[in-house]
Amino acid sequence: MSTASPLLLSIVELGGYPNFAPLYERLGCRVVVENSMRKALAAVKQNAPKVVVAEFNFQSDFRDRTSSLESLMAVVQRSPGTRVIVFYEREYADQLARLQARFPLFRVMAYPIVEEQLAANVRAALVE
């Protein structure tokens, strides 16, 4: 695949859903998968991906944040062309709303993730 293909960063910390990398590749993306937020932050700083797909993993033990996704969003803000799609558990919708009040998320998707809807969201992110 050409390096002119848009970069999609997939952050899979907990998983529990299908590997969507083949879907992203079919949509014409170069895919980088990271399994820790620390590595994902470095990848965003180095590469400024067009699309980031990440999980919202609510962490009640954080005093001043809802999840490590806030660290990611603080870095993504420096790359205005990057679109972020977030997977979340419906039971944490209120906590996700607090994050959305502070940071613009391109799309949010509740589990279970429907592949056709994910494909539509990635396509939309690639054209914006």
Side-chain angles (χ1 to χ4, degrees):
M1 192 170 285
S2 140
T3 57
S5 299
L7 179 63
L8 183 145
L9 173 62
S10 175
I11 306 168
V12 182
E13 293 180 288
L14 297 179
Y17 48 86
N19 174 7
F20 291 120
L23 168 70
Y24 304 144
E25 290 169 350
R26 283 194 307 274
L27 295 172
C29 297
R30 286 181 298 128
V31 180
V32 172
V33 178
E34 293 295 353
N35 298 110
S36 78
M37 191 56 71
R38 182 181 55 78
K39 289 180 181 177
L41 290 170
V44 169
K45 289 175 186 175
Q46 287 177 339
N47 301 307
K50 178 70 177 166
V51 181
V52 174
V53 179
E55 304 161 344
F56 177 73
N57 299 316
F58 176 65
Q59 294 164 284
S60 61
D61 56 330
F62 284 179
R63 252 182 341 129
D64 57 344
R65 300 180 293 151
T66 59
S67 76
S68 58
L69 198 53
E70 284 162 297
S71 300
L72 174 75
M73 293 308 299
V75 172
V76 166
Q77 282 188 314
R78 299 181 208 149
S79 301
T82 298
R83 303 290 176 251
V84 179
I85 299 170
V86 174
F87 299 164
Y88 73 100
E89 296 283 353
R90 291 182 197 280
E91 66 190 87
Y92 298 123
D94 290 343
Q95 290 85 357
L96 178 61
R98 288 188 358 224
L99 176 73
Q100 286 182 284
R102 293 184 52 213
F103 298 103
L105 301 176
F106 183 72
R107 298 279 194 282
V108 296
M109 300 182 67
Y111 295 113
I113 302 304
V114 177
E115 190 168 321
E116 294 79 19
Q117 187 60 51
L118 176 58
N121 286 336
V122 171
R123 277 191 210 96
L126 292 172
V127 297
E128 277 203 20

